[in-house]
PDB file of all heavy atoms in Angstrom:
ATOM      1  N   LYS A   1      19.643 -19.247  12.241  1.00  0.00           N
ATOM      2  CA  LYS A   1      20.494 -19.731  13.313  1.00  0.00           C
ATOM      3  C   LYS A   1      21.308 -18.577  13.914  1.00  0.00           C
ATOM      4  O   LYS A   1      21.932 -17.799  13.240  1.00  0.00           O
ATOM      5  CB  LYS A   1      21.435 -20.810  12.835  1.00  0.00           C
ATOM      6  CG  LYS A   1      20.774 -22.082  12.394  1.00  0.00           C
ATOM      7  CD  LYS A   1      21.758 -23.126  11.889  1.00  0.00           C
ATOM      8  CE  LYS A   1      21.059 -24.511  11.716  1.00  0.00           C
ATOM      9  NZ  LYS A   1      19.851 -24.521  11.044  1.00  0.00           N
ATOM     10  N   VAL A   2      21.207 -18.454  15.243  1.00  0.00           N
ATOM     11  CA  VAL A   2      21.862 -17.379  15.968  1.00  0.00           C
ATOM     12  C   VAL A   2      22.858 -17.976  16.959  1.00  0.00           C
ATOM     13  O   VAL A   2      22.521 -18.963  17.646  1.00  0.00           O
ATOM     14  CB  VAL A   2      20.847 -16.517  16.724  1.00  0.00           C
ATOM     15  CG1 VAL A   2      21.567 -15.375  17.467  1.00  0.00           C
ATOM     16  CG2 VAL A   2      19.825 -15.923  15.777  1.00  0.00           C
ATOM     17  N   ALA A   3      24.038 -17.452  17.038  1.00  0.00           N
ATOM     18  CA  ALA A   3      25.075 -17.893  17.986  1.00  0.00           C
ATOM     19  C   ALA A   3      25.396 -16.827  19.034  1.00  0.00           C
ATOM     20  O   ALA A   3      25.657 -15.699  18.662  1.00  0.00           O
ATOM     21  CB  ALA A   3      26.369 -18.346  17.205  1.00  0.00           C
ATOM     22  N   VAL A   4      25.401 -17.228  20.276  1.00  0.00           N
ATOM     23  CA  VAL A   4      25.785 -16.303  21.380  1.00  0.00           C
ATOM     24  C   VAL A   4      26.896 -17.030  22.135  1.00  0.00           C
ATOM     25  O   VAL A   4      26.557 -17.994  22.904  1.00  0.00           O
ATOM     26  CB  VAL A   4      24.631 -15.942  22.279  1.00  0.00           C
ATOM     27  CG1 VAL A   4      25.085 -15.022  23.411  1.00  0.00           C
ATOM     28  CG2 VAL A   4      23.522 -15.312  21.491  1.00  0.00           C
ATOM     29  N   MET A   5      28.124 -16.632  21.962  1.00  0.00           N
ATOM     30  CA  MET A   5      29.273 -17.379  22.548  1.00  0.00           C
ATOM     31  C   MET A   5      29.960 -16.548  23.582  1.00  0.00           C
ATOM     32  O   MET A   5      29.891 -15.336  23.629  1.00  0.00           O
ATOM     33  CB  MET A   5      30.231 -17.751  21.448  1.00  0.00           C
ATOM     34  CG  MET A   5      29.625 -18.560  20.304  1.00  0.00           C
ATOM     35  SD  MET A   5      28.823 -20.082  20.837  1.00  0.00           S
ATOM     36  CE  MET A   5      30.293 -20.983  21.398  1.00  0.00           C
ATOM     37  N   GLY A   6      30.655 -17.257  24.508  1.00  0.00           N
ATOM     38  CA  GLY A   6      31.182 -16.578  25.712  1.00  0.00           C
ATOM     39  C   GLY A   6      32.628 -16.305  25.770  1.00  0.00           C
ATOM     40  O   GLY A   6      33.125 -15.714  26.765  1.00  0.00           O
ATOM     41  N   CYS A   7      33.404 -16.687  24.711  1.00  0.00           N
ATOM     42  CA  CYS A   7      34.813 -16.321  24.707  1.00  0.00           C
ATOM     43  C   CYS A   7      35.340 -16.507  23.290  1.00  0.00           C
ATOM     44  O   CYS A   7      34.676 -16.940  22.372  1.00  0.00           O
ATOM     45  CB  CYS A   7      35.621 -17.142  25.743  1.00  0.00           C
ATOM     46  SG  CYS A   7      35.983 -18.801  25.198  1.00  0.00           S
ATOM     47  N   ILE A   8      36.634 -16.255  23.103  1.00  0.00           N
ATOM     48  CA  ILE A   8      37.242 -16.189  21.806  1.00  0.00           C
ATOM     49  C   ILE A   8      37.636 -17.585  21.282  1.00  0.00           C
ATOM     50  O   ILE A   8      37.941 -17.753  20.090  1.00  0.00           O
ATOM     51  CB  ILE A   8      38.500 -15.274  21.799  1.00  0.00           C
ATOM     52  CG1 ILE A   8      38.828 -14.822  20.403  1.00  0.00           C
ATOM     53  CG2 ILE A   8      39.715 -16.020  22.491  1.00  0.00           C
ATOM     54  CD1 ILE A   8      39.910 -13.726  20.361  1.00  0.00           C
ATOM     55  N   VAL A   9      37.630 -18.660  22.146  1.00  0.00           N
ATOM     56  CA  VAL A   9      38.092 -19.987  21.734  1.00  0.00           C
ATOM     57  C   VAL A   9      37.315 -20.488  20.570  1.00  0.00           C
ATOM     58  O   VAL A   9      37.763 -20.774  19.442  1.00  0.00           O
ATOM     59  CB  VAL A   9      38.146 -20.904  22.895  1.00  0.00           C
ATOM     60  CG1 VAL A   9      38.538 -22.320  22.422  1.00  0.00           C
ATOM     61  CG2 VAL A   9      39.122 -20.456  23.961  1.00  0.00           C
ATOM     62  N   ASN A  10      35.983 -20.699  20.823  1.00  0.00           N
ATOM     63  CA  ASN A  10      35.070 -21.257  19.793  1.00  0.00           C
ATOM     64  C   ASN A  10      34.130 -20.226  19.280  1.00  0.00           C
ATOM     65  O   ASN A  10      33.370 -20.511  18.317  1.00  0.00           O
ATOM     66  CB  ASN A  10      34.254 -22.423  20.367  1.00  0.00           C
ATOM     67  CG  ASN A  10      35.093 -23.666  20.655  1.00  0.00           C
ATOM     68  OD1 ASN A  10      36.025 -23.999  19.884  1.00  0.00           O
ATOM     69  ND2 ASN A  10      34.827 -24.356  21.769  1.00  0.00           N
ATOM     70  N   GLY A  11      34.097 -19.080  19.897  1.00  0.00           N
ATOM     71  CA  GLY A  11      33.144 -18.054  19.576  1.00  0.00           C
ATOM     72  C   GLY A  11      33.114 -17.658  18.093  1.00  0.00           C
ATOM     73  O   GLY A  11      32.056 -17.696  17.420  1.00  0.00           O
ATOM     74  N   PRO A  12      34.233 -17.189  17.553  1.00  0.00           N
ATOM     75  CA  PRO A  12      34.265 -16.773  16.160  1.00  0.00           C
ATOM     76  C   PRO A  12      33.866 -17.889  15.197  1.00  0.00           C
ATOM     77  O   PRO A  12      33.121 -17.655  14.206  1.00  0.00           O
ATOM     78  CB  PRO A  12      35.700 -16.339  15.937  1.00  0.00           C
ATOM     79  CG  PRO A  12      36.167 -15.901  17.299  1.00  0.00           C
ATOM     80  CD  PRO A  12      35.523 -16.844  18.196  1.00  0.00           C
ATOM     81  N   GLY A  13      34.344 -19.143  15.449  1.00  0.00           N
ATOM     82  CA  GLY A  13      33.981 -20.213  14.567  1.00  0.00           C
ATOM     83  C   GLY A  13      32.541 -20.577  14.551  1.00  0.00           C
ATOM     84  O   GLY A  13      31.924 -20.728  13.520  1.00  0.00           O
ATOM     85  N   GLU A  14      31.939 -20.657  15.752  1.00  0.00           N
ATOM     86  CA  GLU A  14      30.470 -20.934  15.861  1.00  0.00           C
ATOM     87  C   GLU A  14      29.680 -19.762  15.262  1.00  0.00           C
ATOM     88  O   GLU A  14      28.640 -20.056  14.606  1.00  0.00           O
ATOM     89  CB  GLU A  14      30.082 -21.132  17.299  1.00  0.00           C
ATOM     90  CG  GLU A  14      30.611 -22.426  17.927  1.00  0.00           C
ATOM     91  CD  GLU A  14      29.810 -23.639  17.393  1.00  0.00           C
ATOM     92  OE1 GLU A  14      28.812 -23.480  16.709  1.00  0.00           O
ATOM     93  OE2 GLU A  14      30.281 -24.791  17.719  1.00  0.00           O
ATOM     94  N   SER A  15      30.135 -18.560  15.468  1.00  0.00           N
ATOM     95  CA  SER A  15      29.457 -17.395  14.967  1.00  0.00           C
ATOM     96  C   SER A  15      29.473 -17.399  13.413  1.00  0.00           C
ATOM     97  O   SER A  15      28.486 -17.024  12.697  1.00  0.00           O
ATOM     98  CB  SER A  15      30.073 -16.092  15.407  1.00  0.00           C
ATOM     99  OG  SER A  15      29.831 -15.995  16.818  1.00  0.00           O
ATOM    100  N   LYS A  16      30.592 -17.833  12.807  1.00  0.00           N
ATOM    101  CA  LYS A  16      30.682 -17.956  11.337  1.00  0.00           C
ATOM    102  C   LYS A  16      29.760 -18.999  10.789  1.00  0.00           C
ATOM    103  O   LYS A  16      29.219 -18.835   9.685  1.00  0.00           O
ATOM    104  CB  LYS A  16      32.139 -18.283  10.916  1.00  0.00           C
ATOM    105  CG  LYS A  16      33.115 -17.138  11.115  1.00  0.00           C
ATOM    106  CD  LYS A  16      34.508 -17.530  10.729  1.00  0.00           C
ATOM    107  CE  LYS A  16      35.496 -16.409  10.995  1.00  0.00           C
ATOM    108  NZ  LYS A  16      36.883 -16.838  10.659  1.00  0.00           N
ATOM    109  N   HIS A  17      29.529 -20.115  11.534  1.00  0.00           N
ATOM    110  CA  HIS A  17      28.620 -21.151  11.095  1.00  0.00           C
ATOM    111  C   HIS A  17      27.155 -20.753  11.179  1.00  0.00           C
ATOM    112  O   HIS A  17      26.320 -21.315  10.480  1.00  0.00           O
ATOM    113  CB  HIS A  17      28.873 -22.487  11.873  1.00  0.00           C
ATOM    114  CG  HIS A  17      30.157 -23.153  11.529  1.00  0.00           C
ATOM    115  ND1 HIS A  17      30.483 -23.564  10.289  1.00  0.00           N
ATOM    116  CD2 HIS A  17      31.226 -23.470  12.312  1.00  0.00           C
ATOM    117  CE1 HIS A  17      31.654 -24.135  10.262  1.00  0.00           C
ATOM    118  NE2 HIS A  17      32.162 -24.107  11.486  1.00  0.00           N
ATOM    119  N   ALA A  18      26.882 -19.814  12.060  1.00  0.00           N
ATOM    120  CA  ALA A  18      25.460 -19.343  12.228  1.00  0.00           C
ATOM    121  C   ALA A  18      25.162 -18.232  11.187  1.00  0.00           C
ATOM    122  O   ALA A  18      26.066 -17.740  10.535  1.00  0.00           O
ATOM    123  CB  ALA A  18      25.270 -18.747  13.652  1.00  0.00           C
ATOM    124  N   ASP A  19      23.861 -17.927  11.066  1.00  0.00           N
ATOM    125  CA  ASP A  19      23.491 -16.844  10.152  1.00  0.00           C
ATOM    126  C   ASP A  19      23.977 -15.538  10.738  1.00  0.00           C
ATOM    127  O   ASP A  19      24.411 -14.624  10.068  1.00  0.00           O
ATOM    128  CB  ASP A  19      21.974 -16.870   9.983  1.00  0.00           C
ATOM    129  CG  ASP A  19      21.488 -18.056   9.220  1.00  0.00           C
ATOM    130  OD1 ASP A  19      22.057 -18.350   8.165  1.00  0.00           O
ATOM    131  OD2 ASP A  19      20.601 -18.759   9.733  1.00  0.00           O
ATOM    132  N   ILE A  20      23.817 -15.352  12.051  1.00  0.00           N
ATOM    133  CA  ILE A  20      24.312 -14.180  12.755  1.00  0.00           C
ATOM    134  C   ILE A  20      24.769 -14.597  14.131  1.00  0.00           C
ATOM    135  O   ILE A  20      24.117 -15.454  14.767  1.00  0.00           O
ATOM    136  CB  ILE A  20      23.203 -13.128  12.837  1.00  0.00           C
ATOM    137  CG1 ILE A  20      23.709 -11.859  13.541  1.00  0.00           C
ATOM    138  CG2 ILE A  20      21.968 -13.659  13.513  1.00  0.00           C
ATOM    139  CD1 ILE A  20      22.725 -10.682  13.432  1.00  0.00           C
ATOM    140  N   GLY A  21      25.889 -14.114  14.586  1.00  0.00           N
ATOM    141  CA  GLY A  21      26.478 -14.524  15.826  1.00  0.00           C
ATOM    142  C   GLY A  21      27.274 -13.472  16.479  1.00  0.00           C
ATOM    143  O   GLY A  21      27.832 -12.544  15.814  1.00  0.00           O
ATOM    144  N   ILE A  22      27.480 -13.623  17.783  1.00  0.00           N
ATOM    145  CA  ILE A  22      28.281 -12.629  18.545  1.00  0.00           C
ATOM    146  C   ILE A  22      29.170 -13.448  19.467  1.00  0.00           C
ATOM    147  O   ILE A  22      28.769 -14.479  20.055  1.00  0.00           O
ATOM    148  CB  ILE A  22      27.364 -11.673  19.273  1.00  0.00           C
ATOM    149  CG1 ILE A  22      28.232 -10.536  19.985  1.00  0.00           C
ATOM    150  CG2 ILE A  22      26.515 -12.381  20.323  1.00  0.00           C
ATOM    151  CD1 ILE A  22      27.420  -9.422  20.576  1.00  0.00           C
ATOM    152  N   SER A  23      30.390 -13.032  19.621  1.00  0.00           N
ATOM    153  CA  SER A  23      31.352 -13.608  20.555  1.00  0.00           C
ATOM    154  C   SER A  23      31.685 -12.626  21.629  1.00  0.00           C
ATOM    155  O   SER A  23      32.320 -11.617  21.388  1.00  0.00           O
ATOM    156  CB  SER A  23      32.625 -14.068  19.800  1.00  0.00           C
ATOM    157  OG  SER A  23      33.518 -14.678  20.674  1.00  0.00           O
ATOM    158  N   LEU A  24      31.185 -12.876  22.847  1.00  0.00           N
ATOM    159  CA  LEU A  24      31.421 -11.895  23.951  1.00  0.00           C
ATOM    160  C   LEU A  24      32.782 -12.117  24.563  1.00  0.00           C
ATOM    161  O   LEU A  24      33.362 -13.212  24.474  1.00  0.00           O
ATOM    162  CB  LEU A  24      30.321 -12.158  25.004  1.00  0.00           C
ATOM    163  CG  LEU A  24      28.883 -11.923  24.521  1.00  0.00           C
ATOM    164  CD1 LEU A  24      27.907 -12.316  25.605  1.00  0.00           C
ATOM    165  CD2 LEU A  24      28.667 -10.503  24.125  1.00  0.00           C
TER     166      LEU A  24
END
């Protein structure tokens, strides 16, 4: 599972739930 998020609101949380994620 990969997360690509667009801001700091939900980005870090969704990235933590994924195997690898980035919060732009």
